[in-house]
Amino acid sequence: MNSLFTRTARRCAAVAAVTLLMPLGAATIQPAAGAPAGQAECLPGSLPETGLQGDVPAADRDSGRTRDGFRCNMRLLGSSAGRGGGITSVTYNHCAYIGTFFPGNLLGPDTGVRVLDVADPTAPVQTATLNEPAMLAGTWESLKVNAARKLLVGAGVPALTGAGLLSVYDISDCAHPRLLNPGPGTDLALPVPITAHEGGFSPDGRTYWASGTAPGLLSAVDLTDPANPRVIWQGLAGLSMHGFGLSPDGNRMYLANNIGGMKILDVSAVQRRDPEPRVQELADMPWTDGWATQHTVPVSYRGVPYVFAVDEAGSGGVKLIDVSDDRRPRLAQSIKLAINLPENQDSMIASASGGSLFAYDAHYCAADRPTDPTALACSWTSSGIRVFDVRDPGAVREIAYFNPPARTGENAELWNSPHALASIIGPPLLAAPTVAQAMLQGQFDPQQALSSRTGTLTFGDLSTDWCFSPPEWRGNQLWTTCADNGFLALELAPTVYTPPAGQASTTGS
């Protein structure tokens, strides 16, 4: 009788969870595209995943197995957890700058952006904390570096969208950043008229572009004089926009659309510093295979320009788009893990329930060089850090992954982790569109969605980490942060990756 009752209760929980998710995605009915990337062959010494590619099964979460993490052809060299890694962080030279998540970061002991000296990757050392208003307000996905001008910039984003706060630092001595703008953007009486959620630089470092999500306001901030950041163009690019990448000459912006898709903008007038610049929309490429499109990474293969476009939600994975015709971008390839496929969304519900809003989605990627890239490294939320061989864009395969140890039960200690804060929510709500698609296509088996975790609507756990930051290339190493584990210095096995000539880690902006 107890067994029957338990099975019935779980079936009801599965129906409840899917019923909760379906209204959020029922309008999205286009079949999801793509097949999983070829699976990595793990070398001896690995601690491989036990389920589908990218999945963290309920059994591993419940047994505590995830506290050991999972790794394949990649190892941890060193780390600096702090109180969590915020959303995205950034690196330059031998240093890392750890993003802040408001308001948890204010609980300290380090209230602002932590500066780490990673000259010895096995033992990162904190050298400073940046406590200007923008750094205290939460940097979300705005913290970026321009290597050409040795500048670090971050905007204040306390809740999805922020306004007015912008700090600019000289990082010539990367371990000890020096504030350049004590006036506009830092002085609370002198706000810069921008909204921000995400931001990034033009390649020459003269322009910092700030992008808001609500509304989708795009602002070009002139940094010719870093002490006096000023807005030289501003426009509403869409209802809700996200991150972007810029062409090598700074004349084209590939702007991510939060609804799902990408716009191509001609920003050459801003780049030239025309007296009254105009920004023209050249193309609008929407899609329903994934949404909350996060950012784009411009690259080229044999002289043909492409962008990698990353979907933060809806199991869209990473799309490779041919942008050789500005007005007619074309989907060339889609990169996904097996757990992202429509036929596996029932398994996703079984394992990700109780893990909060995000499940197994890509977030931020870095190519190992902009011209003929050989590898793409991506943060993939609960699937950890994933690395793909992209030398042949028609035959992408995974070569390594590192999913850091779960910090289950440590929620109260991780004040700077968005994962710890969001763990009061149980179901993976951002997976709703793909669940709805799978159901409407008849590819969702409610029985397969049943597990001990199904139907957990509140007070989820930290049985995985959330990895959001771009893994940035340093030879055979990747430097990144995850929400719970903070800064991580990782090393790829030399037998699966050889740094190419001209390696230059690029995230697009």
Side-chain angles (χ1 to χ4, degrees):
M1 178 65 72
N2 287 340
S3 177
L4 176 61
F5 176 80
T6 300
R7 289 197 300 271
T8 301
R10 287 183 180 172
R11 286 193 186 95
C12 292
V15 171
V18 172
T19 300
L20 179 64
L21 290 172
M22 189 163 180
L24 299 174
T28 304
I29 60 175
Q30 178 177 317
Q39 200 155 341
E41 297 179 5
C42 298
L43 298 170
S46 297
L47 198 61
E49 297 168 329
T50 63
L52 292 167
Q53 182 189 34
D55 190 20
V56 183
D60 288 346
R61 294 172 182 254
D62 293 345
S63 69
R65 163 67 185 80
T66 58
R67 295 205 65 140
D68 294 328
F70 303 91
R71 61 182 185 273
C72 176
N73 306 335
M74 192 157 35
R75 69 184 182 113
L76 177 67
L77 293 178
S79 64
S80 178
R83 296 294 181 175
I87 298 180
T88 62
S89 302
V90 69
T91 69
Y92 170 71
N93 201 339
H94 57 87
C95 297
Y97 309 98
I98 310 305
T100 52
F101 187 72
F102 180 89
N105 62 293
L106 299 182
L107 297 176
D110 301 300
T111 56
V113 168
R114 293 196 304 136
V115 180
L116 301 179
D117 186 333
V118 197
D120 177 2
T122 66
V125 176
Q126 183 169 335
T127 56
T129 304
L130 308 180
N131 285 316
E132 279 66 44
M135 306 295 103
L136 296 178
T139 54
W140 214 274
E141 293 151 355
S142 72
L143 202 60
K144 296 292 170 63
V145 157
N146 182 264
R149 295 190 65 197
K150 300 182 175 63
L151 295 178
L152 169 70
V153 172
V157 188
L160 285 177
T161 296
L165 300 177
L166 189 79
S167 288
V168 185
Y169 300 89
D170 174 5
I171 50 174
S172 299
D173 176 358
C174 73
H176 302 93
R178 180 173 61 88
L179 181 69
L180 296 176
N181 66 318
T186 297
D187 185 334
L188 296 179
L190 298 171
V192 176
I194 61 171
T195 63
H197 172 96
E198 175 129 10
F201 281 96
S202 61
D204 61 13
R206 293 188 306 141
T207 311
Y208 178 86
W209 290 89
S211 175
T213 56
L217 192 67
L218 186 65
S219 305
V221 182
D222 179 76
L223 293 180
T224 304
D225 176 6
N228 185 34
R230 61 189 183 91
V231 174
I232 55 174
W233 179 87
Q234 194 167 72
L236 195 63
L239 179 64
S240 180
M241 310 313 288
H242 217 157
F244 49 83
L246 288 143
S247 60
D249 59 10
N251 289 333
R252 295 290 182 270
M253 174 181 284
Y254 307 99
L255 179 62
N257 186 341
N258 249 337
I259 310 302
M262 178 187 76
K263 292 189 176 189
I264 301 180
L265 305 181
D266 179 349
V267 296
S268 57
V270 175
Q271 181 68 12
R272 289 191 304 266
R273 293 301 190 267
D274 288 0
E276 296 182 5
R278 293 185 178 183
V279 170
Q280 180 184 3
E281 180 179 304
L282 302 177
D284 184 3
M285 183 183 185
W287 54 72
T288 55
D289 174 24
W291 65 286
T293 307
Q294 175 64 57
H295 79 130
T296 60
V297 184
V299 296
S300 64
Y301 284 98
R302 293 172 289 282
V304 178
Y306 290 82
V307 298
F308 288 107
V310 185
D311 285 323
E312 183 180 1
S315 286
V318 180
K319 296 170 175 64
L320 181 65
I321 300 169
D322 181 337
V323 293
S324 55
D325 184 340
D326 283 335
R327 297 184 182 275
R328 294 177 180 83
R330 179 182 62 86
L331 178 66
Q333 181 61 283
S334 182
I335 305 170
K336 298 189 179 192
L337 305 179
I339 193 62
N340 299 135
L341 301 184
E343 61 266 31
N344 293 327
Q345 293 310 291
D346 41 23
S347 296
M348 180 278 295
I349 289 292
S351 63
S353 293
S356 194
L357 295 167
F358 290 91
Y360 308 108
D361 281 294
H363 194 262
Y364 239 95
C365 298
D368 63 353
R369 62 183 182 185
T371 302
D372 296 319
T374 71
L376 185 75
C378 300
S379 55
W380 216 279
T381 317
S382 286
S383 299
I385 304 300
R386 318 297 294 206
V387 184
F388 304 93
D389 182 334
V390 296
R391 289 174 295 179
D392 178 357
V396 175
R397 63 185 181 88
E398 189 171 31
I399 57 174
Y401 57 80
F402 184 89
N403 202 345
R407 299 190 65 180
T408 310
E410 300 179 50
N411 307 50
E413 301 172 25
L414 300 172
W415 305 319
N416 194 42
S417 167
H419 188 199
L421 180 62
S423 64
I424 60 173
I425 299 168
L429 296 178
L430 295 182
T434 310
V435 171
Q437 287 174 356
M439 293 179 69
L440 293 169
Q441 295 166 33
Q443 294 179 293
F444 189 93
D445 179 359
Q447 190 69 30
Q448 186 67 31
L450 295 177
S451 77
S452 57
R453 305 175 62 81
T454 309
T456 303
L457 302 181
T458 57
F459 298 106
D461 58 25
L462 303 186
S463 54
T464 66
D465 202 338
W466 281 356
C467 294
F468 287 143
S469 275
E472 300 192 62
W473 294 91
R474 296 288 190 281
N476 259 66
Q477 295 177 25
L478 290 170
W479 293 2
T480 190
T481 59
C482 294
D484 301 337
N485 278 274
F487 176 79
L488 304 170
L490 308 172
E491 183 178 58
L492 285 133
T495 51
V496 301
Y497 177 74
T498 301
Q503 186 193 61
S505 188
T506 178
T507 62
S509 62

